[in-house]
Amino acid sequence: GTRRGREAVTAFLADQIGAFDTLILEPEEFFDGEDQIVAFVSVRSRPRGGGVDLVVRNGHLWTIHDGVVLSMTSFPKPKSALEAAGLRE
């Protein structure tokens, strides 16, 4: 869902992080547009109390203006983030 404002985003991230014993986001590739950046990100996580690591690869589309993050959208398919930004590999 959509979160607006620093406090709402911070609370959302705290909830997300709290659900995992381990959560590692590792950017693998970056694609630069005018005011948008796409990152292909490897996410390794272990749910709280779980015994198995989960690994997925997502695309993150960041919109930035004057050094301020305006939005970030995560896509389950990395190439979908590129398409949304009008960028290519």
Side-chain angles (χ1 to χ4, degrees), residues 14-70:
D15 286 346
Q16 289 291 101
I17 292 168
F20 298 96
D21 285 333
T22 303
L23 179 62
I24 300 168
L25 285 79
E26 184 174 349
E28 297 175 342
E29 295 181 67
F30 292 94
F31 304 88
D32 191 10
E34 287 184 30
D35 63 345
Q36 295 182 313
I37 297 171
V38 171
F40 288 178
V41 180
S42 175
V43 181
R44 178 181 302 275
S45 61
R46 179 176 293 171
R48 189 153 304 282
V52 177
D53 283 353
L54 307 171
V55 179
V56 297
R57 192 166 187 241
N58 295 325
H60 291 180
L61 170 58
W62 296 81
T63 301
I64 301 169
H65 182 71
D66 288 336
V68 176
V69 174
L70 300 180

Side-chain angles (χ1 to χ4, degrees), residues 65-83:
H65 182 71
D66 288 336
V68 176
V69 174
L70 300 180
S71 67
M72 190 286 281
T73 305
S74 181
F75 294 82
K77 295 180 181 177
K79 289 189 178 189
S80 295
L82 277 178
E83 292 170 5

Side-chain angles (χ1 to χ4, degrees), residues 3-10:
R3 307 296 187 276
R4 298 192 190 283
R6 186 179 305 248
E7 292 80 19
V9 171
T10 300

